[in-house]
Amino acid sequence: MREFNCIGCPRGCLLRAEEKEGVISVSGNACPKGRDFAVGELTRPMRTLCSTVKTAFSEAPVLPVRSSADIPKDRIFDVMKEINKVMLTERTGRGGIIIPDVLGLGVDIISTSDVLVREK
């Protein structure tokens, strides 16, 4: 049995999930999102990744970025290696794509700031 704090809604239910003979049972959830979250954590945990990329601009030597969607938890370090390779030389704003389709996961790494496009 595994326990999780659900992040599906603001309640933060303490979930208990167990798999027996291919059947997953979940308890402690106050809504259906809790069951979905627990099943996902047992079968294929996903996470949103937030980080920074280096830039060539002295006023903002790093730019905050995030994944445009959840990525498999076991690929976080692989994606971070790709993010750490980036040296941004073009100005971009919030939502700008920094790495398209990172590692073929169908997820982009995007900017979360307008710091490079603000007027000086």
Side-chain angles (χ1 to χ4, degrees), residues 53-120:
V53 293
K54 295 174 276 198
T55 80
F57 306 101
S58 60
E59 72 273 17
V62 294
L63 181 71
V65 297
R66 70 171 175 84
S67 55
S68 62
D70 289 346
I71 60 171
K73 185 178 175 184
D74 63 353
R75 299 298 308 270
I76 287 175
F77 290 108
D78 298 330
V79 173
M80 281 304 303
K81 285 179 187 175
E82 295 303 305
I83 289 172
N84 289 335
K85 292 177 186 177
V86 172
M87 170 60 84
L88 195 61
T89 57
E90 293 184 25
R91 294 181 181 275
T92 188
R94 182 176 287 123
I97 297 175
I98 307 302
I99 305 174
D101 190 21
V102 65
L103 299 175
L105 295 172
V107 174
D108 300 328
I109 301 301
I110 60 172
S111 168
T112 63
S113 174
D114 285 329
V115 68
L116 292 178
V117 293
R118 291 186 187 139
E119 291 185 37
K120 295 180 185 178

Side-chain angles (χ1 to χ4, degrees), residues 1-80:
M1 178 175 296
R2 292 186 55 192
E3 290 187 339
F4 309 98
N5 283 86
C6 183
I7 59 171
C9 79
R11 291 182 102 160
C13 297
L14 178 60
L15 308 175
R16 287 168 209 81
E18 189 170 21
E19 182 177 1
K20 288 185 181 177
E21 298 176 13
V23 176
I24 297 174
S25 62
V26 178
S27 63
N29 55 307
C31 72
K33 290 180 182 180
R35 176 170 170 59
D36 295 342
F37 176 75
V39 169
E41 281 296 292
L42 286 178
T43 60
R44 189 166 189 240
M46 304 287 281
R47 297 292 185 271
T48 298
L49 179 61
C50 298
S51 187
T52 58
V53 293
K54 295 174 276 198
T55 80
F57 306 101
S58 60
E59 72 273 17
V62 294
L63 181 71
V65 297
R66 70 171 175 84
S67 55
S68 62
D70 289 346
I71 60 171
K73 185 178 175 184
D74 63 353
R75 299 298 308 270
I76 287 175
F77 290 108
D78 298 330
V79 173
M80 281 304 303

